[in-house]
Amino acid sequence: MDILNTINKWGYRYYYVKEDGEEYYAESIFVNRQPRSRIILETVKSLEEIINKNISKLNHPAFIKFKEIKRIKDEYCLIRDKSELVPLTVYLKEQNPSPEKRVLWFATLIEIAQNAEESDLNWSGFRLDTLWVNEEGELRLIDPEVVEVISQYRGLSELPPFEVFIPPEVFKEEKWNEPARIYSAGAILYYILTGQPPYTAPDKADLIDEIMNTQPLEPRFINYDLSPSLNSFILKLLSRDKNDRPGDWHKVMVEVKSLIDNNRVKAEARDREINRQKAERVIKIAGGRKSFRRFFRKYWKPLAVSLVVIIGFGLLSLTGGHTPVVTQKTPAPMVVEYFYQAIDEKNIIKLEDTTDLDLGRLDTLVSESHVMETMRSIYSVQKMPDEKLFGTAETDLPGKGSSFKETPDKNKVKSNSSGKGNQNVPKEGMASDQQLENNDGKIFGIRDLNILPVKEGKDHCIYRAEYVFYANLPEGKQETSMEDTLELERIDRKWQITGLKGDINYIIDGQIEKILYEGKK
């Protein structure tokens, strides 16, 4: 046996061997980590069983089989035919092939998958480290069963985690089947065409949550050259509901061939420009939604505790356990200001004192955010211990403090008996822009509140509120101007908000991201 060359590349180690006139590649099994002897022997035995089982099952020219295992230089090595291969991930970066070529690769993968299904090879999805490209630029698939066993012993840290190629139903403990493998192939196609996985997250818990509950960013906003038809096809493969995916590999192949034969792979100039123009805004919106989702998912434990506290406060308020904020002497415009103060301060009691309306998601946001801001203040640090705001690595929290300051009732606005109302309600509780910039520990808040009368009467009033709503997100502070119309009536001789129209309904409906990123429509 002559070792003609040793290759250490891309986290792999190969020996180029010549033996009895035959040349072949020997791939080291244990590259990055050397387990105990017992584990080594068990792994080698498992691999030999896979090789012997599959040796005659699948005979596609693009499918790379291992023939046997040999000891070379005191290492266990997988033996395969001599063929110069480059990892797909490396080839994409170095060669930047056209969208048409990438879709042809996918067609090859589907052909192999069809053959595997017919041969009863029940693979657990597809992995990037099984995909290689030969010297002619053609796709090659290395036996996924073998790679699944040996991947843990390689140093392939730059690859996305395998979880990103697993469909939602498998996380729910359903078995791998044809629809599940179609999803996995769709995730591979997404990567082939964009250079990115369909989902990314700072940890596996966030990643799995996004796979099971969110839609991936449309690939056309990453690669502008993708046609609308190809974009829709990829998203169809990645449907969370398996019934919305193509039913089998044959149907997948029919759609792939239709895209190729009808020149519907690459975007026309007009579609490419549309993709380019929309991309920044769409990516920004998607990032904001991820931020909110990760934030509330990360803090579910303290928020669960907060619900107990909130219920306790609610019971106290029902039994007279707190001093009412709104009294019979509180003028109507001040009830409006209390309403917005309550949102800014995250004061659920004050909020509920101003209205009996169903505030939907707003109630929950106020309660949960109050707990988070309080915990920051208690810990007196820039980041929550062992957590990161919105689940994003190295995202500093702002400082702590409130943009409102309580003022005595005598300094508050008084009702104008002339019926014309007060044209500019005093806002001494509001913080200045400088205060917000230097001392704002809020998840979200309100500033520059201006309350204007529309109609004032003895038992019925209407006011218009203008203000700026903002939220502190990983990419910085996002804000938008908002405007609402509030209707108030005397109930038990106290002014109460009985009607709400305007931008506040975005928050009540739980669409903070929409108002911040997409704007009002």
Side-chain angles (χ1 to χ4, degrees), residues 10-281:
W10 313 306
Y12 303 86
R13 181 162 55 250
Y14 299 94
Y15 298 107
Y16 180 22
V17 180
K18 185 174 183 179
E19 184 178 13
D20 298 331
E22 182 184 2
E23 295 179 1
Y24 57 82
Y25 275 117
E27 179 181 341
S28 177
I29 297 172
F30 305 102
V31 179
N32 190 51
R33 185 164 67 88
Q34 192 79 10
R36 295 178 182 177
S37 299
R38 180 179 60 82
I39 302 299
I40 289 176
L41 294 175
E42 289 177 356
T43 302
V44 170
K45 182 181 178 181
S46 174
L47 289 169
E48 286 175 336
E49 290 174 353
I50 293 171
I51 291 169
N52 293 332
K53 174 174 67 78
N54 295 347
I55 195 69
S56 61
K57 274 196 170 184
L58 202 162
N59 293 299
H60 191 284
F63 184 64
I64 303 295
K65 294 181 182 180
F66 293 103
K67 296 181 176 181
E68 59 181 321
I69 296 176
K70 287 186 177 181
R71 292 270 290 183
I72 298 176
K73 281 193 172 183
D74 294 325
E75 290 191 274
Y76 285 101
C77 296
L78 292 158
I79 307 303
R80 65 172 173 84
D81 289 336
K82 179 192 172 187
S83 176
E84 296 287 345
L85 299 175
V86 176
L88 172 75
T89 53
V90 174
Y91 191 92
L92 286 172
K93 292 177 183 177
E94 293 180 351
Q95 302 298 326
N96 191 27
S98 67
E100 291 88 349
K101 184 169 186 174
R102 300 180 195 215
V103 173
L104 284 172
W105 285 347
F106 185 67
T108 300
L109 181 63
I110 300 310
E111 285 181 6
I112 300 172
Q114 276 184 292
N115 290 355
E117 211 77 41
E118 293 166 0
S119 302
D120 293 323
L121 292 175
N122 299 313
W123 293 335
S124 299
F126 296 94
R127 312 170 63 98
L128 279 176
D129 49 353
T130 64
L131 299 172
W132 295 68
V133 180
N134 67 8
E135 291 178 294
E136 288 74 37
E138 299 167 331
L139 185 77
R140 293 293 180 263
L141 176 72
I142 293 181
D143 192 332
E145 283 189 81
V146 172
V147 175
E148 184 178 354
V149 174
I150 65 177
S151 62
Q152 60 182 307
Y153 303 115
R154 292 168 167 175
L156 308 177
S157 58
E158 293 185 3
L159 292 181
F162 176 56
E163 285 79 4
V164 81
F165 303 105
I166 299 176
E169 64 265 26
V170 172
F171 288 116
K172 297 176 183 177
E173 300 185 354
E174 292 186 25
K175 291 182 179 180
W176 280 97
N177 53 23
E178 194 168 4
R181 284 186 277 274
I182 287 172
Y183 177 100
S184 188
I188 291 289
L189 178 60
Y190 190 106
Y191 186 95
I192 287 175
L193 288 166
T194 66
Q196 299 177 21
Y199 296 97
T200 57
D203 57 51
K204 288 188 178 180
D206 279 331
L207 179 62
I208 294 170
D209 176 71
E210 289 184 13
I211 291 169
M212 296 184 69
N213 298 294
T214 67
Q215 297 288 346
L217 178 68
E218 291 187 43
R220 68 189 178 106
F221 297 125
I222 304 172
N223 184 346
Y224 307 151
D225 285 330
L226 305 187
S227 71
S229 297
L230 178 55
N231 183 77
S232 298
F233 173 62
I234 298 167
L235 296 177
K236 185 178 180 181
L237 295 175
L238 291 172
S239 297
R240 294 203 305 275
D241 186 342
K242 60 186 177 184
N243 296 316
D244 293 334
R245 301 170 204 153
D248 53 44
W249 291 117
H250 174 72
K251 291 179 181 176
V252 175
M253 182 58 81
V254 167
E255 293 199 43
V256 171
K257 286 184 176 179
S258 175
L259 289 168
I260 296 170
D261 295 343
N262 294 294
N263 295 317
R264 292 187 293 120
V265 170
K266 191 170 183 178
E268 296 179 359
R270 178 178 58 85
D271 290 325
R272 190 184 190 285
E273 182 60 20
I274 290 172
N275 295 343
R276 187 193 65 78
Q277 289 178 357
K278 289 185 175 181
E280 183 178 357
R281 176 172 169 270

Side-chain angles (χ1 to χ4, degrees), residues 18 191 212 239 292 299 324 373 387 391 470 511:
K18 185 174 183 179
Y191 186 95
M212 296 184 69
S239 297
F292 277 99
Y299 293 114
E373 291 176 6
E387 297 282 6
Y470 66 91
Q511 299 185 63

Side-chain angles (χ1 to χ4, degrees), residues 302-411:
L303 294 177
V305 174
S306 76
L307 292 177
V308 177
V309 176
I310 293 161
I311 291 170
F313 277 121
L315 292 173
L316 283 173
S317 66
L318 291 173
T319 57
H322 80 283
T323 303
V325 177
V326 176
T327 68
Q328 295 177 9
K329 296 181 179 179
T330 307
M334 186 50 55
V335 174
V336 175
E337 182 166 352
Y338 278 150
F339 175 78
Y340 291 102
Q341 278 188 358
I343 296 171
D344 184 80
E345 296 171 351
K346 320 302 182 296
N347 188 328
I348 190 66
I349 293 177
K350 182 183 285 188
L351 186 65
E352 292 180 349
D353 260 8
T354 62
T355 181
D356 286 329
L357 290 172
D358 179 5
L359 297 179
R361 179 64 178 153
L362 179 59
D363 267 336
T364 307
L365 279 173
V366 167
S367 303
E368 293 175 347
S369 301
H370 169 72
V371 173
M372 301 318 305
E373 291 176 6
T374 302
M375 289 177 70
R376 272 186 226 164
S377 179
I378 292 171
Y379 282 110
S380 299
V381 291
Q382 288 291 307
K383 283 186 284 190
M384 295 288 290
D386 301 320
E387 297 282 6
K388 300 176 178 67
L389 184 62
F390 300 112
T392 303
E394 301 305 320
T395 301
D396 290 335
L397 300 180
K400 56 183 187 296
S402 171
S403 66
F404 283 91
K405 295 178 182 177
E406 198 62 53
T407 54
D409 280 351
K410 65 181 181 179
N411 294 327

